Amino acid sequence: MEFSDCSNEYEKLVVRMNMPRVVIDNGVCPNSTVVKIDSARSPGILLESVQLLTDMNLWIRKAYISSDGKWNMDVFHVSDLNGNKLTDENLIRYIEKSIETSHYTKSEGYTGLTALELTGTDRVGLLSDVFAVLAGLSCDVVEAKAWTHNGRIASMIYVKDRNSGTPLDCDSDRVQLIEGQLRNLLKADDGNYQNDTRTCVSYGGNTHMERRLHQRMFMDRDYEKKFDSETSPIVSVQNLPKRGYSVVNLQCKDRMKLLFDVVCTLTDMAYIVFHAAVRTVGETAFLEFYVRHSDGNPVHSEPERQRLIQCLQAAIERRTVKGVRLELCTADRPGLLAEVTRVLRENGSNIARAEISTKDGIARNVFYVTDANEVEKEQQQEPHQVHNGGETVLVSLGSLLMRNLYQLGLIKSYF
């Protein structure tokens, strides 16, 4: 056997020895399912575990994280969206298998699609203009997410050619035209903003969309705007010189994916989490992390401390959107997104966040909508549902917007 073959077999053995060991227990805690993960320490492994749990729509209510030497021991108390334990044995087995293999296998990602990444100044109707450009250039949007924060917008959009159903040729004149038109849209309101408008076109890959949106916002320095001390998350950073750690404490309203947003930011800022504790009291979450920078040192200056605080506050606030949740689920058709977002724009509504997906010919579009002045629409206090022919609209917007959606044929009645 050649040396290279021996080396490959040795690497496979090391992988098998270091694969995470997962234990899921429903008997320890009365209110949640406990997921215990023992694994060899490696860069980003905590983020991968948290990401996997949150991608399954599991709510992490409590967590204990410890990393000593070369081994991690992480304990997560999770529940479903309704606050219940996990009772589906198929789901439990799927979680175990996914965690055990996730660190050593690659996701298929968004193969067969072209990725568009956009960053720029937010304004009313911007997404409407973006989707109109894509529709006019025969691009079908398959998956997309957009976040806004502190007057900035970041978006990832996966598209394919409408006629052939294949990815766009990234070297073609058509892609250059798309990129140029989108860049012009984003630059239109940039003014003298110190950071450049950014667009990027690439083939679909393994990038996690929400992590990439955090990265885009971070690169755009959306955290630099002064935060409202009364409503912003409470974040403190102090050093423990004798132990060589920086202790990061956070207090804010609990919500889905909170731990993911925090760990994602710490990881992208090159901080390593050695120990952590997460707990919730009522609707408030308390998070404590013992961290060091990747160079082995704790936070070493006041500017670094302030930057870390600002970045963590921004990471939490990006997903904390005020506004009305508008969900449209209907048969997909060319230009649908452009039509829906145009109606929102013409009614003075601003899209603060968007989640777009298309599967098996069905479009599911979720928008978080505020008015043009970032004030929530309050014409009706309670949302209502309209059912017709398999279409569902969950909306709490005024009758004018409902009427326009009706005229588009998206709903058959708004009474």
Side-chain angles (χ1 to χ4, degrees):
M1 182 181 292
E2 295 182 0
F3 176 77
S4 60
D5 294 332
C6 294
S7 178
N8 291 336
E9 291 301 317
Y10 177 75
E11 290 177 359
K12 292 178 182 178
L13 175 63
V14 171
V15 166
R16 287 195 295 270
M17 292 174 59
N18 292 333
M19 284 182 68
R21 287 182 281 277
V22 184
V23 176
I24 298 180
D25 193 341
N26 264 323
V28 175
C29 180
N31 302 318
S32 59
T33 298
V34 177
V35 180
K36 302 177 183 178
I37 306 173
D38 292 332
S39 60
R41 197 174 86 183
S42 62
I45 194 168
L46 173 60
L47 176 59
E48 290 183 25
S49 299
V50 173
Q51 175 181 303
L52 198 148
L53 292 173
T54 54
D55 283 349
M56 294 181 187
N57 289 325
L58 301 180
W59 197 321
I60 301 175
R61 303 284 186 173
K62 187 186 296 184
Y64 303 99
I65 296 160
S66 181
S67 176
D68 284 322
K70 296 183 178 181
W71 202 253
N72 287 345
M73 183 177 68
D74 304 329
V75 180
F76 302 99
H77 292 239
V78 303
S79 64
D80 62 19
L81 294 178
N82 297 318
N84 301 319
K85 287 185 176 184
L86 311 183
T87 57
D88 186 337
E89 291 297 327
N90 291 329
L91 174 60
I92 291 174
R93 285 194 293 270
Y94 178 75
I95 293 172
E96 290 175 342
K97 182 178 179 181
S98 298
I99 294 175
E100 288 172 352
T101 60
S102 64
H103 308 298
Y104 303 101
T105 59
K106 291 186 178 180
S107 161
E108 292 183 2
Y110 295 92
T111 55
L113 301 173
T114 301
L116 309 176
E117 296 186 4
L118 312 175
T119 308
T121 299
D122 186 32
R123 60 175 171 80
V124 176
L126 177 59
L127 280 180
S128 175
D129 292 338
V130 169
F131 292 134
V133 166
L134 295 176
L137 295 172
S138 299
C139 297
D140 281 344
V141 177
V142 179
E143 195 93 11
K145 288 190 178 182
W147 289 356
T148 62
H149 182 246
N150 279 348
R152 306 299 289 172
I153 184 170
S155 178
M156 283 197 70
I157 306 172
Y158 285 92
V159 301
K160 63 181 179 180
D161 181 76
R162 180 179 303 157
N163 300 317
S164 65
T166 60
L168 309 182
D169 182 355
C170 287
D171 295 325
S172 67
D173 293 338
R174 179 184 176 196
V175 165
Q176 294 180 15
L177 178 62
I178 292 171
E179 193 169 8
Q181 290 195 20
L182 293 179
R183 185 179 293 110
N184 289 336
L185 283 178
L186 293 166
K187 280 185 175 180
D189 292 279
D190 249 15
N192 296 321
Y193 189 79
Q194 60 182 348
N195 300 319
D196 293 334
T197 294
R198 299 179 177 92
T199 61
C200 176
V201 181
S202 63
Y203 287 114
N206 296 314
T207 304
H208 187 269
M209 289 183 74
E210 293 183 345
R211 182 177 184 186
R212 187 58 180 158
L213 287 174
H214 274 302
Q215 292 172 340
R216 297 289 296 191
M217 284 290 198
F218 175 74
M219 289 187 294
D220 202 41
R221 306 173 75 90
D222 71 316
Y223 56 84
E224 291 185 335
K225 184 176 179 180
K226 187 176 181 180
F227 289 86
D228 186 345
S229 59
E230 294 184 0
T231 60
S232 295
I234 300 173
V235 182
S236 65
V237 178
Q238 57 183 346
N239 285 351
L240 296 179
K242 293 184 178 179
R243 301 183 62 184
Y245 292 121
S246 291
V247 183
V248 180
N249 282 282
L250 304 95
Q251 179 182 336
C252 62
K253 184 177 180 180
D254 190 31
R255 60 165 173 78
M256 277 286 292
K257 300 190 178 183
L258 174 62
L259 183 58
F260 168 79
D261 293 337
V262 173
V263 174
C264 179
T265 300
L266 290 172
T267 302
D268 288 336
M269 295 183 72
Y271 290 99
I272 300 172
V273 177
F274 287 86
H275 306 280
V278 178
R279 63 187 177 93
T280 56
V281 178
E283 295 186 348
T284 304
F286 300 87
L287 302 89
E288 184 176 60
F289 299 87
Y290 289 75
V291 303
R292 293 178 184 143
H293 198 268
S294 57
D295 61 9
N297 296 315
V299 174
H300 67 276
S301 67
E302 181 60 20
E304 181 185 355
R305 189 180 76 87
Q306 289 298 329
R307 182 169 178 263
L308 178 56
I309 290 173
Q310 290 177 331
C311 289
L312 289 172
Q313 288 177 324
I316 294 171
E317 290 193 343
R318 286 170 196 148
R319 205 193 295 267
T320 307
V321 177
K322 294 181 178 180
V324 174
R325 186 177 189 271
L326 166 63
E327 180 177 336
L328 299 175
C329 185
T330 187
D332 192 29
R333 66 171 187 265
L336 175 64
L337 272 175
E339 292 178 351
V340 172
T341 52
R342 175 179 56 81
V343 168
L344 296 174
R345 179 192 66 199
E346 291 175 349
N347 284 273
S349 297
N350 185 50
I351 299 174
R353 201 171 96 210
E355 299 175 3
I356 311 298
S357 63
T358 304
K359 187 176 181 180
D360 299 327
I362 301 298
R364 182 178 180 273
N365 305 329
V366 178
F367 303 101
Y368 292 83
V369 182
T370 63
D371 69 15
N373 296 315
E374 300 294 328
V375 178
E376 292 187 46
K377 291 185 173 295
E378 298 176 345
Q379 287 91 338
Q380 300 173 13
Q381 294 299 321
E382 296 296 330
H384 63 274
Q385 287 187 319
V386 181
H387 300 271
N388 194 298
E391 298 171 351
T392 302
V393 179
L394 176 60
V395 64
S396 179
L397 305 174
S399 60
L400 178 60
L401 178 54
M402 294 289 286
R403 187 180 304 116
N404 285 325
L405 292 173
Y406 162 74
Q407 291 172 352
L408 273 177
L410 294 174
I411 58 176
K412 298 298 186 292
S413 171
Y414 57 90
F415 298 104

